[in-house]
């Protein structure tokens, strides 16, 4: 189809191209014929113009001669009036036209001239018989000044009697001043030739080129390469006959129109030539204008064709782009359809998994509830069934939390709660959750922290905990019994002095994953499918949630894995470093200025030095206990260290002996802390000596401070025993609109020996508290989503009451809204603390007791 379309377009283009060529050909023929006709007409007109110009020059010369003749007649009459005509002759002064006048009396052969010399007239030749206005004119000659001249003679008549003859000598140069200037833009050549001698007597300055100086007609022939005898004879005949002649001949390599033009009845001739290009100058100008118009027309036509071509190309390109867009759109629609089908399949699979995963704990809850009703009289079975129902309920709650969390992330409603936290607390809290899970499967959990420069950081500790627990719990789930898991926090090179660049690694030697599954591991609702992992329950949302949280924090996450060899997850994050955490005052108050650390791991020693460098405390590190003994005994001029850190490994029996020697070498007042891995449980193997304690690895400054304070407290007087947490004797006002939840709450509080009055909404809670006597209620338990008035508005209304206890009575939010922003909204409304449903009894007891303590 496309080939036929392209062929059709080509078939349409060919006739169009022929039509354009034909138009150009016809237009060119018309222009060529017009130019030829104009050139011919302009050439004929130019020849006519040349003839007219020569006639004009001829008339000018003849008019000058007539004027000279008239003037000479006037001088003759003037001389006749003089008593002595010779005196008149002597008084004449020459001018630009007449250079000399002479007078010969009748009957005499000699006379006088105006120059004072004797004049005979013998050198003058009047034999040609030419006259001007009735006066005879002589042949041309060179006068005493070396200039070509001619003379005319006029009789002097006095009283009707001829008394003499007046001769006047004229120079040809006078013609040069009277002839019109310019002859074909100075491109032509003009000479005045004497007819008798064929000598060139004048080359006017303003008439033609000045680069040639010819002497006579033959010289003109030779200079202009006119060698044809017939042509020369024709010119000679023309001169003898006193006629006019025009002929074409090349002069100096240029085609020229030569002329021989008679003046004054053939006594003188105008000789010269005009280049054809000068004659046709006007024609060429017209032709150039015609060509210019035609060229402009052709260019305009060509531009129109080009514009049409580019417009056609643009339309084709737009059409192709539209076709491409249509194809892309169709492809996108197909991909969207495929994605929708995949999403539908994924959600179908997800619902299938959820159906299985939710039904499993629900079946356990319902099944054990049935058994509980059957065996209600058997306390042991009741406790066993209750424990299993609680475990199933907790698992069901974790599934629901994952679903809600990923929904919130996808809707973009997750907000990070940036606060200050310590890596020590982070590692400890994660370890406390994961280690029991790993121990239950007899797995080894290795925790390593290296290269960290700052222990106090800014970030969302809850979300970081969520990332770590997701990664580590998956590592525990998908690692066989007896396997190993490595949890590393590595300090990388800082990109900025204000941020700590951290890499978190979670590695295991478990089941591993296929390369195909690695491509979709971070997609929601996906799980690895094989006979081993199918036994592990889950939503398939953990990795999607983890990736979204990491990216929300501006970090990256990647994974590498091999089947049956394990997996490695890497997360890179940057945390802002808070200011002012070099707590030098603590160390000064506790008298610690120098510490000796003994550890065989060089990285651990480097981390201790790095973390303590801003505390104003000197840290010496060695790798061997014997070397430490030598330093204690010989270094620092007998001064003792203020604190000793000693690596402890229960597998090494020699550590106990070294520890005893170190303890003996220093004062009992110097604390000795055994640094040991967090997975060491055989603490009874650690030597029991005076002023010693255990510091768990990895090393943190905050953990060291807590340990020092703990040891100082233990060494002091009797420490207060922690008060037993109970709610006996307390009375609460609870706002809860759900009858089942209200019943459960009342039963829980009754079991703890506390009283509870429950109202159905927030407005009733406000009214009941307003009527109550001061001290009647110890705390208010407030649901959030209730009819009439919600919990937030109720809390604000209670805090606004004009009672002395309205501002201090504890208000505890109990709600299924379990996200961080829900907790923030509760605190902003004036509540003291936020507890998520379903209620954890121990957590509720601690929260209530703490709030009541703060109130007191």
């Amino acid at each position: 189809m496309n080939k036929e379309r392209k062929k059709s377009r080509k078939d349409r283009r060919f006739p169009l191209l022929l039509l354009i060529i034909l138009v150009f050909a016809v237009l060119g023929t018309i222009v060529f014929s017009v130019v030829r006709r104009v050139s011919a007409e302009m050439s004929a007109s130019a020849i006519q113009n040349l003839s007219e110009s020569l006639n004009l020059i001829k008339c000018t010369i003849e008019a000058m001669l007539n004027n000279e003749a008239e003037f000479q007649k006037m001088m003759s009459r003037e001389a006749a009036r003089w008593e002595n005509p010779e005196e008149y002759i002597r008084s004449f002064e020459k001018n630009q036209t007449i250079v000399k006048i002479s007078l010969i009396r009748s009957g005499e052969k000699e006379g006088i001239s105006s120059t004072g010399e004797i004049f005979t007239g013998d050198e003058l030749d009047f034999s040609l018989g030419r006259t001007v206005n009735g006066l005879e004119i002589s042949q041309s000659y060179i006068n005493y000044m070396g200039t070509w001249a001619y003379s005319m003679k006029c009789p002097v008549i006095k009283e009707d009697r001829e008394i003499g003859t007046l001769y006047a000598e004229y120079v040809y140069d006078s013609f040069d001043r009277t002839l019109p200037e310019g002859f074909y833009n100075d491109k032509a050549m003009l000479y005045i030739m004497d007819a008798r001698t064929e000598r060139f007597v004048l080359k006017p300055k303003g008439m033609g080129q000045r680069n040639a100086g010819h002497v006579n007609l033959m010289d003109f022939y030779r200079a202009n390469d006119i060698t044809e005898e017939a042509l020369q004879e024709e010119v000679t005949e023309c001169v003898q006959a006193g006629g006019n002649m025009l002929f074409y001949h090349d002069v100096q390599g240029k085609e020229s129109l030569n002329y021989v033009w008679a003046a004054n009845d053939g006594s003188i001739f105008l000789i010269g030539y005009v280049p054809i290009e000068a004659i046709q100058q006007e024609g060429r100008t017209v032709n150039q204008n015609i060509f210019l118009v035609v060229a402009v027309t052709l260019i305009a036509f060509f531009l129109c064709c080009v514009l049409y071509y580019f417009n056609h190309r643009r339309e084709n390109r737009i059409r192709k782009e539209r076709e491409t867009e249509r194809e892309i759109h169709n492809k996108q629609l197909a991909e969207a359809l495929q994605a929708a089908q995949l999403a539908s399949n994924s959600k179908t699979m997800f619902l299938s998994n959820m159906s299985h995963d939710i039904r499993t704990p629900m079946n356990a809850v319902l099944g054990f509830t049935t058994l509980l009703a059957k065996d209600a009289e058997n306390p042991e079975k009741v406790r066993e069934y209750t424990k299993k129902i609680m475990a199933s309920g907790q698992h069901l709650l974790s599934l629901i939390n994952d679903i809600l969390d990923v929904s919130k992330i996808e809707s973009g409603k997750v907000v990070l709660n940036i606060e200050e936290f310590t890596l020590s607390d982070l590692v400890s809290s994660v370890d406390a959750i994961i280690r029991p899970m790993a121990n239950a499967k007899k797995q080894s959990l290795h925790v390593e922290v290296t290269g960290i420069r700052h222990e106090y950081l800014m970030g969302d500790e809850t979300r970081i905990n969520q990332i770590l627990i997701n990664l580590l719990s998956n590592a525990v789930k998908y690692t066989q019994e007896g396997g190993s898991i490595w949890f590393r926090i590595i300090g990388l090179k800082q990109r900025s002095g204000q941020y700590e660049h951290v890499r978190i690694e979670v590695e295991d030697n478990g089941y591993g994953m296929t390369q195909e599954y690695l491509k979709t591991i971070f997609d929601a609702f996906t799980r690895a499918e094989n006979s081993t992992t199918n036994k592990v329950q889950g939503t398939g949302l953990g990795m999607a949630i983890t990736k979204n949280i990491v990216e929300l924090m501006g970090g990256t996450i990647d994974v590498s894995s091999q089947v049956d060899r394990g997996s490695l997850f890497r997360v890179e994050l940057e945390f802002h470093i808070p200011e002012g955490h070099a707590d030098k005052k603590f160390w000064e108050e506790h008298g610690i200025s120098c510490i000796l650390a003994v550890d065989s791991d060089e990285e651990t020693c480097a981390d201790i030095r790095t973390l303590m460098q801003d505390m104003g405390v000197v840290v010496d590190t060695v790798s061997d206990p014997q070397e430490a003994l030598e330093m204690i005994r010989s270094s620092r001029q007998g001064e003792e260290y203020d604190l000793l850190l000693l690596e402890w490994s229960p597998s090494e029996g020699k550590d106990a002996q070294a520890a005893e020697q170190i303890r003996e070498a220093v004062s009992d007042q110097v604390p000795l802390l055994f640094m040991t891995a967090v997975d060491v449980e055989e603490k009874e193997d650690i030597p029991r000596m005076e002023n010693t304690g255990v510091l768990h690895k990895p090393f943190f400054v905050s953990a060291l401070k807590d340990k020092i304070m703990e040891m100082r407290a233990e060494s002091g007087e009797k420490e207060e025993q922690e008060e037993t947490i109970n709610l006996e004797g307390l009375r609460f006002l609870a706002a809860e609109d759900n009858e089942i939840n209200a019943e459960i709450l009342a039963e829980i509080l009754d079991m703890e020996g506390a009283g509870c009055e429950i109202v159905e909404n927030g407005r009733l809670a406000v009214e009941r508290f307003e009527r109550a006597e001061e001290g009647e209620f110890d705390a208010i338990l407030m649901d959030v989503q209730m009819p009439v008035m919600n919990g937030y508005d109720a809390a604000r209304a209670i805090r606004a009451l004009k009672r002395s206890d309205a501002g201090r009575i504890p208000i505890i939010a109990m709600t299924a809204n379990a996200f961080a922003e829900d907790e923030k909204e509760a605190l902003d409304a004036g509540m003291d603390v936020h507890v998520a449903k379903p209620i954890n009894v121990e957590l509720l007891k601690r929260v209530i007791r703490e709030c009541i303590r703060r109130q007191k």
Side-chain angles (χ1 to χ4, degrees):
M1 187 69 179
N2 290 333
K3 291 183 178 179
E4 292 178 358
R5 200 177 302 162
K6 290 180 180 179
K7 184 177 180 181
S8 176
R9 285 200 295 268
K10 289 181 179 178
D11 292 341
R12 289 197 301 269
R13 290 175 186 172
F14 186 71
L16 180 62
L17 181 62
L18 289 179
L19 180 62
I20 293 173
I21 294 174
L22 180 61
V23 169
F24 272 93
V26 171
L27 186 61
T29 303
I30 293 173
V31 171
F32 180 73
S33 61
V34 170
V35 168
R36 287 195 61 184
R37 185 172 67 252
V38 169
S39 297
E41 292 176 356
M42 293 301 294
S43 296
S45 176
I47 293 173
Q48 180 66 29
N49 288 339
L50 177 60
S51 301
E52 291 177 357
S53 297
L54 293 174
N55 283 331
L56 178 61
I57 296 173
K58 165 192 170 185
C59 293
T60 302
I61 292 174
E62 290 178 347
M64 290 178 61
L65 293 173
N66 288 327
N67 288 337
E68 290 172 353
E70 287 294 331
F71 185 73
Q72 189 170 345
K73 288 179 181 180
M74 183 186 68
M75 287 191 300
S76 177
R77 289 193 292 273
E78 182 67 22
R81 285 197 295 269
W82 283 61
E83 289 295 330
N84 186 4
E86 283 80 2
E87 291 296 327
Y88 174 75
I89 297 302
R90 291 189 185 94
S91 66
F92 177 79
E93 294 182 1
K94 68 178 181 178
N95 54 43
Q96 293 179 346
T97 302
I98 303 174
V99 296
K100 183 177 69 174
I101 60 175
S102 302
L103 177 66
I104 298 178
R105 293 242 182 205
S106 298
E108 296 181 4
K109 292 184 178 182
E110 294 181 352
I112 190 172
S113 65
S114 60
T115 57
E117 69 224 12
I118 301 297
F119 177 76
T120 61
D122 295 337
E123 68 273 14
L124 300 178
D125 183 1
F126 291 94
S127 62
L128 192 61
R130 305 292 186 188
T131 61
V132 177
N133 199 7
L135 301 182
E136 292 184 58
I137 184 170
S138 71
Q139 295 181 14
S140 302
Y141 60 89
I142 297 175
N143 64 7
Y144 71 96
M145 295 185 299
T147 301
W148 281 99
Y150 62 91
S151 294
M152 286 189 292
K153 61 182 180 178
C154 174
V156 180
I157 298 174
K158 187 175 183 179
E159 296 176 355
D160 298 329
R161 182 174 62 87
E162 181 177 344
I163 63 173
T165 303
L166 178 66
Y167 294 85
E169 183 176 304
Y170 302 90
V171 293
Y172 282 100
D173 288 344
S174 62
F175 292 166
D176 202 4
R177 292 185 294 272
T178 57
L179 291 176
E181 291 197 6
F183 195 41
Y184 287 95
N185 296 323
D186 292 336
K187 293 182 179 180
M189 177 69 74
L190 172 65
Y191 290 99
I192 296 178
M193 183 186 74
D194 180 68
R196 181 67 176 271
T197 61
E198 295 185 351
R199 301 269 298 193
F200 289 168
V201 296
L202 179 65
K203 180 171 67 176
K205 295 178 181 179
M207 304 293 287
Q209 297 178 353
R210 306 296 296 169
N211 56 355
H214 305 125
V215 177
N216 52 33
L217 185 60
M218 293 304 298
D219 185 38
F220 180 82
Y221 289 156
R222 286 192 300 271
N224 297 316
D225 199 22
I226 302 175
T227 59
E228 296 86 345
E229 292 183 0
L231 182 59
Q232 292 181 7
E233 291 177 359
E234 188 176 354
V235 171
T236 301
E237 292 175 359
C238 177
V239 171
Q240 291 176 354
N244 300 326
M245 180 179 178
L246 293 173
F247 62 90
Y248 288 98
H249 198 280
D250 290 347
V251 175
Q252 297 180 3
K254 297 179 182 180
E255 184 180 4
S256 303
L257 182 61
N258 296 262
Y259 56 87
V260 179
W261 212 259
N264 194 34
D265 295 332
S267 62
I268 56 177
F269 279 85
L270 305 177
I271 303 293
Y273 62 85
V274 181
I276 297 299
E277 63 180 16
I279 296 175
Q280 296 181 348
Q281 181 66 37
E282 295 179 358
R284 278 200 309 275
T285 302
V286 173
N287 290 337
Q288 287 174 358
N289 292 334
I290 293 174
F291 278 120
L292 180 61
V293 172
V294 172
V296 170
T297 304
L298 292 177
I299 290 172
F301 181 74
F302 177 73
L303 289 176
C304 290
C305 293
V306 170
L307 291 176
Y308 171 78
Y309 171 73
F310 281 109
N311 183 60
H312 186 67
R313 281 191 60 184
R314 187 174 65 85
E315 290 179 353
N316 287 338
R317 187 176 67 253
I318 293 173
R319 178 178 52 78
K320 290 179 181 178
E321 289 176 354
R322 288 177 179 172
E323 292 177 356
T324 304
E325 288 178 358
R326 194 177 298 112
E327 292 176 359
I328 294 174
H329 183 64
N330 293 336
K331 185 177 179 181
Q332 289 175 344
L333 289 177
E335 291 175 352
L337 178 60
Q338 184 179 4
Q341 292 172 346
L342 290 174
S344 177
N345 294 337
S346 297
K347 291 187 178 181
T348 301
M349 185 179 297
F350 166 71
L351 292 175
S352 176
N353 291 337
M354 287 300 96
S355 175
H356 172 270
D357 291 344
I358 292 175
R359 285 175 186 273
T360 299
M362 282 300 298
N363 287 337
V365 170
L366 296 176
F368 285 118
T369 303
T370 303
L371 294 175
L372 185 62
K374 182 179 179 182
D375 296 323
E377 304 301 327
N378 189 337
E380 290 186 7
K381 288 191 175 182
V382 168
R383 282 193 292 270
E384 182 183 353
Y385 296 157
T386 304
K387 183 179 180 181
K388 291 181 178 179
I389 290 172
M390 180 66 71
S392 298
Q394 291 292 340
H395 176 60
L396 182 60
L397 181 61
S398 69
L399 295 178
I400 294 172
N401 284 338
D402 274 353
I403 295 170
L404 294 176
D405 214 356
V406 75
S407 174
K408 199 167 188 67
I409 289 172
E410 288 181 349
S411 65
K413 295 182 180 179
V414 174
V415 178
L416 296 178
N417 185 21
I418 306 299
E419 294 179 346
E420 184 178 309
F421 70 95
T422 64
L423 286 179
S424 173
D425 293 341
L426 180 68
V427 173
S428 298
S429 61
V430 172
D431 182 79
I433 296 171
I434 300 299
R435 189 168 297 281
M437 298 169 57
N439 291 338
K441 295 183 69 174
K442 300 179 182 180
Q443 297 169 341
S444 298
L445 176 61
H446 306 277
V447 180
E448 301 173 9
V449 179
T450 58
I452 297 297
R453 297 169 181 80
H454 302 87
E455 181 182 344
Y456 292 88
L457 301 171
M458 299 292 293
D460 191 332
E461 184 176 7
T462 302
R463 292 297 181 181
I464 299 169
N465 260 302
Q466 189 175 0
I467 293 171
L468 298 178
I469 291 172
N470 277 345
L471 295 177
L472 288 165
S473 62
N474 277 350
V476 172
K477 289 178 184 178
Y478 296 104
T479 300
Q480 66 280 2
E481 288 193 8
S484 297
I485 298 168
W486 291 267
F487 170 36
R488 307 183 188 95
I489 298 181
I490 304 169
L492 303 179
K493 183 179 180 181
Q494 292 177 265
R495 298 190 181 103
S496 169
Q498 298 179 346
Y499 289 87
E500 183 79 22
H501 190 190
V502 176
R503 176 188 293 162
I504 299 170
E505 292 185 353
V506 176
E507 185 177 5
D508 63 70
N509 58 356
Y511 306 129
M513 294 171 282
T514 62
Q515 297 301 312
E516 290 75 14
Y517 177 64
L518 287 179
K519 297 177 182 178
T520 59
I521 185 173
F522 295 114
D523 296 340
F525 313 121
T526 58
R527 292 174 58 183
E529 299 291 335
N530 58 58
S531 59
T532 302
T533 59
N534 284 344
K535 298 177 183 178
V536 180
Q537 294 182 344
T539 59
L541 298 175
M543 286 298 99
I545 293 172
T546 299
K547 184 174 188 295
N548 278 280
I549 294 174
V550 169
E551 291 179 347
L552 188 63
M553 291 181 175
T556 60
I557 182 171
D558 60 77
V559 58
S560 59
S561 182
Q562 290 185 354
V563 177
D564 297 330
R565 291 192 177 184
S567 305
L568 172 61
F569 287 85
R570 287 192 181 93
V571 176
E572 288 196 13
L573 296 169
E574 285 190 325
F575 299 105
H576 186 74
I577 301 168
E579 298 179 0
H581 272 287
D583 192 0
K584 298 181 181 180
K585 188 175 180 182
F586 172 85
W587 306 100
E588 293 174 359
E589 290 177 351
H590 289 78
I592 299 175
S593 60
C594 188
I595 296 176
L596 175 61
V598 184
D599 199 296
S600 59
D601 186 6
E602 293 183 2
E603 288 189 357
T604 301
C605 294
D607 290 339
I608 295 173
R609 291 193 299 269
T610 300
L611 292 172
M612 294 296 297
Q613 65 182 359
D614 295 330
M615 304 301 167
V617 178
V618 178
V619 178
D620 293 336
T621 57
V622 294
S623 60
D624 183 76
Q626 295 301 323
E627 187 179 352
L629 272 172
E630 294 178 3
M631 289 185 65
I632 292 171
R633 292 168 179 169
S634 62
S635 66
R636 297 172 55 82
Q637 292 79 37
E639 295 181 12
E640 293 183 348
Y641 289 98
D642 303 313
L643 178 64
L644 300 179
L645 303 177
L646 179 61
E647 179 186 20
W648 174 260
S649 177
S651 61
E652 299 291 336
K654 61 181 181 180
D655 286 355
Q657 183 180 359
E660 292 176 358
Q661 293 175 349
I662 291 174
R663 178 76 277 178
E664 293 174 357
V666 297
S667 171
D668 291 340
Q669 300 300 319
V670 177
L672 173 60
L673 298 180
F674 294 99
M675 294 189 299
T676 180
V678 290
D679 59 348
V680 175
E681 296 181 354
E682 297 82 1
K683 296 182 180 178
E684 60 272 9
D685 293 337
I686 297 177
R688 301 295 178 180
M689 293 180 287
E690 186 70 23
N691 202 10
T692 59
V694 177
L695 183 65
H696 293 290
K697 288 185 178 181
F699 175 84
F700 289 106
V701 176
S702 59
L704 178 59
K705 288 170 62 176
D706 293 341
K707 194 63 178 178
I708 292 172
M709 294 175 67
E710 179 185 338
M711 293 177 66
R712 294 289 170 90
E714 289 177 354
S715 63
E717 296 183 359
K718 184 178 180 181
E719 183 182 5
E720 293 184 3
Q721 297 296 321
E722 182 178 358
E723 184 179 352
T724 304
I725 300 176
N726 63 74
L727 307 179
E728 189 173 355
L730 300 179
R731 182 169 173 76
F732 300 96
L733 172 62
E736 175 61 69
D737 64 322
N738 187 282
E739 293 182 3
I740 296 177
N741 290 341
E743 184 179 352
I744 292 173
L745 177 62
E747 289 295 331
I748 290 174
L749 294 176
D750 185 62
M751 290 169 57
E752 297 295 327
C756 179
E757 183 177 340
I758 299 176
V759 294
E760 296 177 357
N761 57 61
R763 182 178 298 278
L764 293 176
V766 176
E767 293 174 353
R768 179 65 185 89
F769 179 75
E770 193 173 10
R771 295 194 306 270
E773 295 181 2
E774 187 172 344
E776 181 178 349
F777 296 110
D778 296 291
I780 300 175
L781 306 178
M782 186 75 71
D783 189 17
V784 172
Q785 292 185 351
M786 295 183 294
V788 184
M789 179 182 284
N790 62 43
Y792 300 136
D793 293 338
R796 293 187 185 95
I798 290 173
R799 295 301 187 202
L801 292 175
K802 296 180 179 179
R803 293 174 50 129
S804 59
D805 60 344
R808 66 175 185 270
I809 186 169
I811 303 178
I812 300 168
M814 294 192 306
T815 174
N817 298 340
F819 296 108
E821 51 268 33
D822 300 318
E823 181 178 356
K824 182 177 183 300
E825 189 172 359
L827 297 177
D828 291 342
M831 301 185 188
D832 294 273
V833 72
H834 177 280
V835 178
K837 293 181 181 179
I839 296 173
N840 184 304
V841 179
E842 294 300 323
L843 175 61
L844 179 61
K845 288 165 62 177
R846 286 198 299 271
V847 166
I848 292 173
R849 176 58 62 185
E850 182 62 31
C851 289
I852 292 174
R853 281 180 179 175
R854 283 206 303 266
Q855 180 190 17
K856 292 180 178 179

